[in-house]
Amino acid sequence: MAEQDEEWSSNANEAIQISFVQPGADSPKALSTFHPQFTYSIFGDEERIFGYQGLNIKLRFAAHDLYPHVSVSSDAKFKTVGDTKATDVLAILKEHLPPYAFEKSSTFKTRIQEGASASTFTPPGKLIESYTSRGRNFEIWCGELTDPAVRLLLERMQIFISFFIEGGTPLDLDDQEWTLARWRVFFVYEKLAPPPSPTTSAYSIVGYSTSYRFLTYQPTLPSPKSQPTLASPKSEPFTFPPPPLPISSFPSRARISQFLILPPHQSHSHGTHLYAAMIHIFLADPACTEITVEDPNEAFDDLRDYCDHARLLANGTLAQIKLRTNLDPKATAKRIGVRVPSAKLLDKPLLRSLRLKNKLAPRQFDRLVELHLLSQIPAHNRQAGTARLTQRAKATDEGDRAYYYWRLLVKQRIYKKNKDVLMQLDRAERIDKVEEALGEQGGDYERLLRGMEGKSEGNGELGVRRERGKRKVVDEDEDADEDEDVEDNREAKRTRTDEG
């Protein structure tokens, strides 16, 4: 039976061919063809399809408006034996594609070859940025899900979430109007000028992203000194019910939800352009108080770190952040009860104001500050590790002192974020775990710095990829509020987080 299963089993990722097409000489011409990265949410954890030999699932999209079509063919199909039968591929795909994706191939061909609407198509929403990459022209458009054209285009793209975003969940496009108004969709298109033919659209899809307005409560209590004086009541007209307030007027976090550059266009800096365009929109929105990301993967973490670091470098934010290294060594003496003096190492009020100005979440801003401070320490001091830190705060070399204090800051953050978990361990194991997390975090920062150096040398993309898992010990909440000091004196007597 196992041999039979293998004989009639197909790899779903290999069987599915995704193509973006435009009108050709006689039939639709594929601009690009590629395979999905994941199919487990559609065909099961094994990503296998039973009942076919030579299975070929063609999933074609019009390159401009993503009008879909699916066709299934095979060399042989398993004949039903009792309850064992071939997987109904079309029935499964109907749960993930609109009904018109299953029309006849001839109808799809006619629509692509002779469709009059393609030549006048423009992406839905508003054009927010144009840029050039490798001699080709691209545009980024932004719209809300309350726009039927935006909703239609996203409906056709929903299956890409399952194909390329691990753990991604398609949006509910039939939700209430006020909920749809919270969503913004950003589309990246390539634009050809002039179009290849009179019936061909100038636009072809490159990628997209979605963001969600996460409403926040912002108390605005005036101080007693600023209480207004009572005045005579004024007679003003009153209407009931009062006019509704748009969702966009409420204070909110902008939460990036889905972010995808399609495989044919990856490693061409489109993700950098899209992310930067989104950040520009969020920063210009007076109702947006903070920019967060929903469950980012490692690749997006890298993109985000690079883009945010470049932005803070360009707007002068990082230039204002300095690590003080001339502290009294007694402030960090290795004895029980002495806390990490982060308030003396960094200007905390300044950091808070810079974070709020740049609308960064505390977790992300902390990472950028640590990355920047590490980059200011000479490479030979960093590469020596702890070998040069035997004198700790008493070291005569300023680079050694800076690296020592930098390690203290990162250890403090790691401890604060993981205090509940770490306190379940004995003292020696706590110290080891924090030290291990520090080593992983430092190694990750060094990798990012090498990648940024490669980018600055003209490589166009981050040049160094992550080799191992991220932040195994560090468990951080994207939306967490700023933390206070790591511990009170009682806790300091039980756990030390300075250099061991």
Side-chain angles (χ1 to χ4, degrees), residues 109-378:
K109 176 182 177 181
T110 300
R111 189 183 190 281
I112 296 297
Q113 292 293 107
E114 303 174 10
S117 62
S119 60
T120 58
F121 171 84
T122 56
K126 177 182 178 182
L127 176 65
I128 61 172
E129 184 181 332
S130 301
Y131 65 94
T132 301
S133 177
R134 304 190 180 192
R136 297 158 67 177
N137 299 318
F138 300 88
E139 295 179 351
I140 301 176
W141 294 69
C142 175
E144 294 188 351
L145 273 186
T146 50
D147 182 343
V150 172
R151 198 158 59 247
L152 177 62
L153 191 57
L154 189 62
E155 177 190 36
R156 296 171 177 175
M157 301 181 74
Q158 291 271 56
I159 196 168
F160 295 137
I161 298 173
S162 299
F163 283 159
F164 298 106
I165 300 178
E166 188 168 11
T169 304
L171 304 185
D172 182 3
L173 301 182
D174 296 323
D175 214 331
Q176 301 179 53
E177 188 81 1
W178 67 270
T179 298
L180 295 178
R182 294 186 177 192
W183 287 96
R184 280 183 280 200
V185 187
F186 299 79
F187 301 105
V188 185
Y189 272 90
E190 180 176 7
K191 183 178 183 182
L192 297 177
S197 72
T199 60
T200 303
S201 172
Y203 290 95
S204 61
I205 192 70
V206 170
Y208 83 106
S209 182
T210 61
S211 71
Y212 180 79
R213 293 184 178 95
F214 191 87
L215 301 186
T216 58
Y217 174 64
Q218 299 287 328
T220 54
L221 299 177
S223 62
K225 295 182 179 180
S226 62
Q227 289 285 355
T229 56
L230 296 177
S232 301
K234 296 182 179 180
S235 176
E236 296 182 357
F238 177 77
T239 58
F240 185 84
L245 293 174
I247 289 292
S248 58
S249 66
F250 289 91
S252 62
R253 292 187 179 103
R255 177 171 292 179
I256 299 175
S257 178
Q258 299 150 341
F259 191 99
L260 174 64
I261 301 298
L262 294 165
H265 300 282
Q266 291 176 2
S267 299
H268 292 176
S269 295
H270 297 300
T272 299
H273 284 284
L274 175 56
Y275 181 80
M278 296 175 71
I279 296 301
H280 180 76
I281 292 293
F282 300 149
L283 290 176
D285 182 358
C288 175
T289 61
E290 191 172 276
I291 304 166
T292 64
V293 179
E294 180 181 336
D295 193 21
N297 62 18
E298 294 179 358
F300 189 85
D301 267 342
D302 285 354
L303 171 70
R304 183 188 186 193
D305 287 341
Y306 165 73
C307 291
D308 286 347
H309 182 271
R311 175 166 61 90
L312 298 193
L313 196 63
N315 67 17
T317 295
L318 295 181
Q320 302 178 58
I321 302 174
K322 307 291 184 182
L323 180 63
R324 300 164 181 159
T325 60
N326 58 347
L327 274 66
D328 183 347
K330 295 180 180 179
T332 56
K334 186 179 179 183
R335 65 177 184 270
I336 294 176
V338 176
R339 296 190 295 172
V340 179
S342 58
K344 297 180 180 179
L345 292 171
L346 295 170
D347 187 338
K348 289 299 187 70
L350 173 64
L351 291 182
R352 177 176 172 80
S353 67
L354 293 175
R355 183 183 71 80
L356 295 177
K357 178 181 178 181
N358 287 282
K359 300 186 179 182
L360 287 167
R363 173 258 194 190
Q364 178 65 2
F365 188 70
D366 286 346
R367 282 177 54 81
L368 294 172
V369 169
E370 291 168 3
L371 182 65
H372 166 68
L373 294 177
L374 183 64
S375 72
Q376 303 304 299
I377 301 172

